[in-house]
Amino acid sequence: MKTDVCVIGGGPAGLGAVKSACENGAKVVLLEREYRLGGILNQCIHNGFGLHYFGEELTGPEFAQRLANDVVNSKAKIFLNSTVSKVEKKADKKMIVTAESPEGVLQIEAKCVVFSAGCREKPAAGINLCGTRPAGIFTAGAAQKLVNIHGKMVGKNIVILGSGDVGLIMARRLTCEGANVIGVYEIMPNCGGLARNVAQCIKDFNIPLHLSTSIVEVVGKKRVEGVYVAPVKPDFSFDLSKKEFIKCDTLLLSVGLLPETDLLNDFNLERSPVTNSYAVNEYYQTSVPEIFICGNVMHVNDLVDNVTNEGIHAGKCASQFAKGGVPCENKIEITHDSHIKYTVPKYVYRGSGELKISFRVDKEYRRVMVKAKSGGEVISQTPHPVVRAGEMEQIKLDKSKIKDDLEILLEVI
Amino acid sequence: MELTCIRCPIGCSLTVTKNADGTVTVTGNNCPRGAEYGRQEMLEPKRTITSVKKIKNGTISLKTNKAVPKEKYFDVLKAIKNVPEKRSYSVGGVLIKNVCGTNADVVITNINIEKF
Ligand SMILES: Cc1cc2nc3c(=O)[nH]c(=O)nc-3n(C[C@H](O)[C@H](O)[C@H](O)COP(=O)(O)OP(=O)(O)OC[C@H]3O[C@@H](n4cnc5c(N)ncnc54)[C@H](O)[C@@H]3O)c2cc1C
Ligand code: SF4
């Protein structure tokens, strides 16, 4: 089958991409491995989604359905239960996407692909967790799927390692299902999740949150019997003299997400070490021009509203690419100071119009000015009352003011 | 009272005080929704409750269509567990009307039945 744009993954990023690529006149094929659209949102049954994008507060599934409705009613060809197993580029620059589907092997020939396969959770091995590997260790998202989609409980006395949003949300969810959540343990001195989730998931239910504390050993043969926790010193070594045993039957890990980039490994795309994904330009295009990426596979987002907007942008640019190309003269690399960990995009082209730059900072700063400098001049200043490591920030620029360089700086005021 | 506003992901730190005349003053909010939240939280804290119920062949996801008083949290969850199975479910449909006398309805947000 031939198409202009092939979108891989039907979560909010992919749905945004399909919608905008269709609206911009491209022929679109969407491949999704699950039996329905919506991605991770289907298991995020809590509310708090969509305030920015839809202007009202929705639950995850409701947000997903609204996006999916637009796509189902568009001209895009949608394949469900279809897992992409290979992405290749032919000598004539055509992209060939292979997927396993109930109808057999699908081969899609596309002018470009939008890759929106989301992220996966770091497992126990990803953090060198010491001790045994009995039953009862789950990543927080796997537990979320079991409890919310399959209606199966994961345990009775539960310890959560890591204070990311998924962990905090699951602390509340499991408490509501009658479990005893003994505590959330976080290695860093600050909480990884949003302040609102600390308030409504942890404080509302009096769940203890232990900062600068981590698990040093898992104990148990068949099933988890407990964990040893210990304070973490400023140099990140454990203070084993204060080691303490916590009896529990279940351990949830909420220790970070990794972009699901494996399918693109063979392309040797330019990587972005901080995001664990690939460097992109302002069109969310990778170093292979036929490959666009967006959503959590580009960089792990905290808000689905931002994910959707990224998808919409990538879909629009991909359709423009398929129709003849995107302007790509006078490439400039965006540089930044050490307070900023990375920017998306990494590259821009001189021209006109609005440019949106997303970034993350290394720690919390109060009352800062985010400055963009080009040609020795400040071309934009955006005040932020507070910026936090756990939250993605954004600034908007007028591209016509960009000269031969672009630097993003954070100044405390 | 020091609070974190939960009405949007920014999570402003609010200071809420009850004045002698019974009115409530909120500072630290970035927008009017925060003032509303702070006042409500001082007078009668409310939450939107979401949950899941097992049905034949799968589950349904649920929410209260309004925030309900916080002290009714576990009563609402119990009412959801105890409500008998219906013959059919539809997204957007009401599972329980006026749950626990809160004036809020429990509404179906998703149906999880895998079809192959
Ligand atoms: C467990 C978990 C909980 C989260 N909770 C929240 C939350 O509460 N609030 C929030 O704002 N954000 C949350 N996030 C972040 C959330 O992932 C984003 O908000 C958003 O859902 C990401 O969208 P996405 O489209 O990039 O990825 P996803 O939603 O993950 O969608 C990716 C899609 O690609 C499909 N796919 C992957 N590989 C293939 C393949 N090879 N072939 C075909 N299809 C494929 C998947 O099946 C999936 O449908 C959570 C993330 C995780 C992992
Ligand atoms: S006060 Fe307004 S901006 Fe601040 S967290 Fe509440 S809703 Fe968001």
Side-chain angles (χ1 to χ4, degrees), chain A residues 332 350 374-375 377 379 399-405:
Chain A
I332 297 165
R350 283 183 64 175
S374 184
E377 273 175 45
I379 61 166
K399 266 179 70 178
S400 64
K401 291 187 181 158
I402 302 173
K403 307 221 165 60
D404 296 326
D405 66 334

Side-chain angles (χ1 to χ4, degrees), chain A residues 185-227:
Chain A
Y185 295 85
E186 168 59 55
I187 192 167
M188 301 296 285
N190 49 284
C191 179
L194 295 172
R196 72 187 307 213
N197 285 337
V198 176
Q200 63 184 349
C201 300
I202 299 295
K203 288 196 185 138
D204 267 7
F205 298 92
N206 299 316
I207 297 167
L209 171 61
H210 306 270
L211 299 175
S212 295
T213 314
S214 192
I215 292 177
V216 293
E217 193 185 333
V218 179
V219 181
K221 279 206 182 97
K222 278 195 170 153
R223 177 83 197 189
V224 173
E225 286 159 26
V227 293

Side-chain angles (χ1 to χ4, degrees), chain A residues 8-15 31-34 36-41 43-44 46 49 82-85 115-121 140-142 144 165-166 169 197 257 260 263 294-297 300-305 307:
Chain A
I8 302 171
L15 293 174
L31 300 167
E32 166 56 50
R33 84 181 151 198
E34 293 278 333
R36 60 177 165 187
L37 300 173
I40 277 295
L41 287 175
Q43 67 184 61
C44 302
H46 52 280
F49 298 86
S82 302
T83 303
V84 173
S85 54
F115 193 62
S116 47
C119 59
R120 66 164 92 125
E121 295 176 286
Q144 190 178 45
D165 284 314
V166 194
I169 298 244
N197 285 337
L257 303 170
E260 182 77 75
L263 274 173
C294 56
N296 276 0
V297 73
V300 174
N301 279 265
D302 349 280
L303 292 181
V304 72
D305 307 70
V307 169

Side-chain angles (χ1 to χ4, degrees), chain A residues 90-386:
Chain A
K90 290 279 168 297
D92 62 0
K93 298 197 174 163
K94 289 273 158 50
M95 299 298 294
I96 306 288
V97 180
T98 310
E100 330 287 331
S101 83
E103 291 86 48
V105 176
L106 291 173
Q107 281 219 318
I108 313 291
E109 183 188 304
K111 291 182 185 152
C112 60
V113 303
V114 175
F115 193 62
S116 47
C119 59
R120 66 164 92 125
E121 295 176 286
K122 259 192 212 169
I127 51 163
N128 294 324
L129 190 64
C130 290
T132 54
R133 288 292 180 273
I137 306 177
F138 301 87
T139 58
Q144 190 178 45
K145 186 166 189 181
L146 282 167
V147 175
N148 290 352
I149 305 277
H150 300 290
K152 299 249 188 316
M153 252 322 247
V154 290
K156 291 198 178 85
N157 294 297
I158 299 169
V159 163
I160 300 179
L161 178 61
S163 62
D165 284 314
V166 194
L168 301 181
I169 298 244
M170 282 313 288
R172 170 176 67 182
R173 194 63 199 101
L174 292 166
T175 306
C176 288
E177 286 294 325
N180 167 30
V181 177
I182 299 163
V184 177
Y185 295 85
E186 168 59 55
I187 192 167
M188 301 296 285
N190 49 284
C191 179
L194 295 172
R196 72 187 307 213
N197 285 337
V198 176
Q200 63 184 349
C201 300
I202 299 295
K203 288 196 185 138
D204 267 7
F205 298 92
N206 299 316
I207 297 167
L209 171 61
H210 306 270
L211 299 175
S212 295
T213 314
S214 192
I215 292 177
V216 293
E217 193 185 333
V218 179
V219 181
K221 279 206 182 97
K222 278 195 170 153
R223 177 83 197 189
V224 173
E225 286 159 26
V227 293
Y228 281 99
V229 299
V232 178
K233 296 190 232 166
D235 66 355
F236 286 104
S237 64
F238 300 120
D239 186 352
L240 292 176
S241 66
K242 298 205 180 108
K243 177 168 112 162
E244 194 191 333
F245 184 70
I246 313 266
K247 202 167 168 279
C248 63
D249 52 50
T250 304
L251 170 62
L252 252 55
L253 304 174
S254 174
V255 291
L257 303 170
L258 289 171
E260 182 77 75
T261 56
D262 293 4
L263 274 173
L264 302 181
N265 273 351
D266 291 346
F267 285 96
N268 280 321
L269 303 173
E270 180 189 341
R271 292 204 69 96
S272 163
V274 185
T275 59
N276 280 307
S277 178
Y278 303 110
V280 293
N281 63 20
E282 61 180 282
Y283 311 117
Y284 298 159
Q285 192 179 27
T286 64
S287 55
V288 169
E290 290 78 12
I291 302 177
F292 293 76
I293 55 176
C294 56
N296 276 0
V297 73
M298 177 164 74
H299 63 151
V300 174
N301 279 265
D302 349 280
L303 292 181
V304 72
D305 307 70
N306 294 337
V307 169
T308 310
N309 284 325
E310 283 179 10
I312 286 178
H313 182 66
K316 183 173 149 218
C317 297
S319 66
Q320 203 182 336
F321 178 87
K323 272 187 251 162
V326 284
C328 50
E329 271 148 39
N330 302 316
K331 185 172 174 179
I332 297 165
E333 180 176 345
I334 303 178
T335 55
H336 53 81
D337 65 18
S338 61
H339 305 309
I340 293 171
K341 287 191 1 198
Y342 71 89
T343 63
V344 164
K346 187 177 177 193
Y347 300 106
V348 297
Y349 300 96
R350 283 183 64 175
S352 59
E354 188 185 78
L355 174 68
K356 219 191 256 172
I357 300 177
S358 306
F359 62 94
R360 272 183 203 275
V361 294
D362 59 343
K363 57 174 200 243
E364 179 169 321
Y365 299 93
R366 294 202 164 256
R367 303 198 58 224
V368 294
M369 189 68 89
V370 183
K371 289 188 176 169
K373 265 184 166 174
S374 184
E377 273 175 45
V378 176
I379 61 166
S380 101
Q381 306 201 54
T382 321
H384 284 255
V386 53

